[in-house]
Amino acid sequence: MRIRNFTRALSYFLTIFFFPFLLDAQNFTISGYIKDGRTDETLIGATVSSKDNPSVGTVSNNYGFYSLTTSKGKYTLIFSYIGYQNKEVIVDLSANQSLNASLSDGLSLQEIVVTAREKEQNVQGTQMGTVALSIESVKKLPALAGEVDILKTLQLLPGVKGNEGQAGFYVRGGGPDQNLVLLDEAVVYNPGHLLGFFSVFNSDAIKNTTLIKGAMPAQYGGRLSSVVDIQMKEGNNKEYGVEGGIGLIASRLTVEGPIEKDKSSFIFSARRTYALDLAQPFINQTKFAGSNYYFYDLNAKINYKLSEKDRFYLSGYFGRDVFAFVSKEQGFNFNLPYGNATASLRWNHVFDQKLFMNVSGIYNDYDFTAGGGQGDFVFKAFSGIRDWNAKADFDYYPDYRNSIKFGVNYTYHRLTPNIISATNGDQTFSNNLSPQFAHESAIYVGDDFKASKALSFNIGLRGALFNQLGPYTSTITGKVYATNEVVKTYPALEPRLAVKYSFDRENSVKASIAYTTQFLHLVSNSTSTLPADVWVPSSELVQPQTGVQYSTGYFKNLKDNMYETSIEVYYRDLNHQIDYPDNYVFGDKPLVEQSFVYGKGRAYGVELFIKKAKGNLTGWIGYTLSRTERQFPDIENGRVYPATYDRTHDLSVVANYRLSRKWEMGGAFVFATGNAFTPIKDLFLIEQKLNVEYAPRNSSRYEPYHRLDLAATYTPHPGSVKKFQSTWTFSVYNSYNRLNPYFIYYDVQNNLEKGTAKATAYQVTLFPLIPSVTWNFKWRQKKPAAIEKNPTF
């Protein structure tokens, strides 16, 4: 009864609020879900359009739901999605109706049409800097040690930069903490394994990945630079299946199937490394016996269709890195376990053909622990962040010209700084730091509005509120705040606007502006993101970071959408940026935020993108010319200097070639200006004490970074209709063995008798040439449909 009353009240409100859209009494709505016909997986971003009038159309949301309202009449609707055969349905729209569309996967001549329609989204879509990646295309690219990595693939796109050996990435001049990384709506604070060498996302569990680096829509907030929105697979509710892979350093296994056929399903996916496990017999014969390292990931999800209007989803992720180092000679041991855990419970409800709701309860946790000792000395350090999040999101489709999103969001944060304790015999030490607490809430509304066939707008407004909470003792006034008492409040208003004008179906110009605010901050005292880096909230000492991004671009597709091209120009202003001062010493202040200095930044650049989407040869070329700068009054008297991750030039060339039905070849070449670093300028002795003078911050560069990765995929039985299928993937990382710099350290030597000192620089390189081979397999309860011979791509 309460749900019915709420539905009625909400419908009345929307009818009054959006009355101008409802004046035409002859408009009717068709809505439903777009799914994979074999598995019943919902398809995100699938296209629905009228064959006679392509401007009448819509796109399915993150749950596969679509809604199309237009005038009365007969229509031939085309449902399409990349990699699937398009489906045509004739409808007589004389009343509101529901229609679920199931698309068949597999290759056919019709796929050319599907791809063409989908690729027009690059030109016709309002959003700028938005890229959707299918996991199947990612799996064809070369990967380090054979481990497919969605975040490393994103770093091959223009405007997205990464460093070798890091999962952290940088988008249009922003830091690694300025990217909102979501897994089934749960925030992932540290997306890296092995100190960042691999990401935490198991490719077999992922359905869809979307990168937004332009003006992010109003439903996203809390970060300045970008959004990486990753959705897990839902599980096959028609048949059971198993897939996985066995590689040189890791193996993975995924099981899925129906709980109740056509009504509920599950998916469970696991991955673990074992390279050092296999080496234990050899390690135990050395002075490092007992040392080991491994990581693992567990993904699980179940969904249940209560009715055509109600669906429930429960998903979770748990991953850990476990590192142990033992040195028997020195009597030293060190342990480093850290990882993420997330859980998402979601309820989808369709009120009517025009209104869709998703309510979510989300939990996420990241913790880092380090411990060890030598002799009587034992130490332990702990830090982490934990969130409880509740949100409600609505999609409202008054007509085919408008797609309106609105909702509310609330998060309770618990942030634990670096808590350190140590004992040395009878002596004990602890820094006695306490967790910090905060409320973060937001409300938003946005509309993707088609003003005409040529002109479209995406306009949004997000209001946010952040409250620092007690227990807390003010370092300014000395006031003591009780538990849950508000210490400091920061409001924020964030307008976003994107505009698109199409000259025709294959040419358009776009422009956007977005104001963003970030209340949580990752502060690092190193040149790379490490698991020990500290997340801190906005407080009476730390103001929220703010930013504004302006961007514009020209988008053009060629030869029936075979080639997709674009050029985008952007400029970003960043305020209240945070860093450590020169000569910072860890632990010299009672609160870590007392050590920070504050300044501003700017980033600007141009991005070129050319993609070949069809044919036996596919791939893309991405190039970025950019600058990223920072300025702090307390660092070198306000000198403007390049950020560590500033790169003037960044080039990526990605290609995939279908050599035959059995062999597919892939390659990726990257070239980038070397990262900035601060070198030693001079050494001198004063009263027999060595003094080091550094050059201006980030005044030198590493050598340029470049490498070529190659891969080949072999399918023994292409087009097989057997239940069990397998492929072999052979890859070579850094094929010409380029010794790229990871960092530079100095060996300082001094001669007290002669009064001289000398510093010798040494370069550390991470990865030489690394070959790998992975056997991938897939089993389905039912035989797959036969795939056409000699298909056109």
Side-chain angles (χ1 to χ4, degrees), residues 506 557-563 614:
E506 296 184 342
N557 289 358
L558 304 166
K559 291 190 175 181
D560 193 26
N561 299 288
M562 177 179 288
Y563 294 95
K614 296 186 295 183

Side-chain angles (χ1 to χ4, degrees), residues 61-80:
N61 67 9
N62 280 354
Y63 295 90
F65 179 80
Y66 77 94
S67 177
L68 179 62
T69 300
T70 187
S71 58
K72 179 180 179 180
K74 284 190 175 182
Y75 295 87
T76 300
L77 297 182
I78 300 176
F79 296 84
S80 59

Side-chain angles (χ1 to χ4, degrees), residues 582-625:
D582 293 326
N583 304 317
Y584 165 75
V585 178
F586 176 76
D588 64 344
K589 300 288 186 180
L591 296 176
V592 65
E593 54 259 45
Q594 291 179 298
S595 302
F596 298 156
V597 295
Y598 305 93
K600 60 183 180 180
R602 66 178 181 180
Y604 50 92
V606 56
E607 299 170 1
L608 303 175
F609 187 66
I610 303 173
K611 181 177 181 180
K612 187 173 185 292
K614 296 186 295 183
N616 287 333
L617 175 65
T618 58
W620 69 81
I621 300 175
Y623 171 72
T624 306
L625 175 67

Side-chain angles (χ1 to χ4, degrees), residues 470-634:
Y472 182 80
T473 301
S474 172
T475 58
I476 299 175
T477 65
K479 181 180 177 180
V480 178
Y481 292 87
T483 300
N484 292 326
E485 185 178 359
V486 176
V487 179
K488 184 72 175 181
T489 298
Y490 289 104
L493 198 62
E494 306 173 20
R496 289 98 184 268
L497 173 65
V499 183
K500 181 270 300 180
Y501 183 83
S502 300
F503 300 102
D504 52 40
R505 298 300 300 178
E506 296 184 342
N507 291 271
S508 70
V509 291
K510 303 180 186 180
S512 67
I513 180 174
Y515 287 83
T516 48
T517 305
Q518 181 166 328
F519 300 106
L520 302 182
H521 323 280
L522 180 68
V523 185
S524 173
N525 193 35
S526 64
T527 57
S528 62
T529 355
L530 297 173
D533 293 340
V534 180
W535 284 91
V536 296
S538 297
S539 65
E540 63 174 1
L541 297 177
V542 181
Q543 294 188 57
Q545 301 179 62
T546 60
V548 56
Q549 178 178 194
Y550 311 88
S551 57
T552 185
Y554 173 66
F555 300 79
K556 180 177 179 61
N557 289 358
L558 304 166
K559 291 190 175 181
D560 193 26
N561 299 288
M562 177 179 288
Y563 294 95
E564 174 185 326
T565 68
S566 66
I567 178 171
E568 295 187 52
V569 180
Y570 68 89
Y571 180 88
R572 300 185 64 204
D573 270 324
L574 304 169
N575 297 304
H576 306 141
Q577 300 300 284
I578 302 174
D579 207 337
Y580 289 104
D582 293 326
N583 304 317
Y584 165 75
V585 178
F586 176 76
D588 64 344
K589 300 288 186 180
L591 296 176
V592 65
E593 54 259 45
Q594 291 179 298
S595 302
F596 298 156
V597 295
Y598 305 93
K600 60 183 180 180
R602 66 178 181 180
Y604 50 92
V606 56
E607 299 170 1
L608 303 175
F609 187 66
I610 303 173
K611 181 177 181 180
K612 187 173 185 292
K614 296 186 295 183
N616 287 333
L617 175 65
T618 58
W620 69 81
I621 300 175
Y623 171 72
T624 306
L625 175 67
S626 64
R627 291 299 303 269
T628 302
E629 299 170 330
R630 295 292 185 266
Q631 184 179 28
F632 292 80
D634 296 319

Side-chain angles (χ1 to χ4, degrees), residues 29-34 43-51 53-62 64-70 77-81 99 117-118 121 124-125 353-354 395-405 447-448 450 505:
T29 303
I30 183 170
S31 64
Y33 289 87
I34 306 176
L43 300 178
I44 300 170
T47 300
V48 185
S49 61
S50 169
K51 187 175 183 178
N53 185 3
S55 64
V56 176
T58 188
V59 176
S60 62
N61 67 9
N62 280 354
F65 179 80
Y66 77 94
S67 177
L68 179 62
T69 300
T70 187
L77 297 182
I78 300 176
F79 296 84
S80 59
Y81 192 71
L99 175 64
R117 291 183 178 275
E118 288 293 328
Q121 291 299 315
Q124 297 302 321
Q353 281 82 6
K354 296 184 178 183
D395 292 288
Y396 182 58
Y397 308 90
D399 56 36
Y400 74 87
R401 293 184 178 88
N402 291 268
S403 177
I404 299 171
K405 294 180 180 291
D447 185 12
D448 201 347
K450 299 176 184 177
R505 298 300 300 178

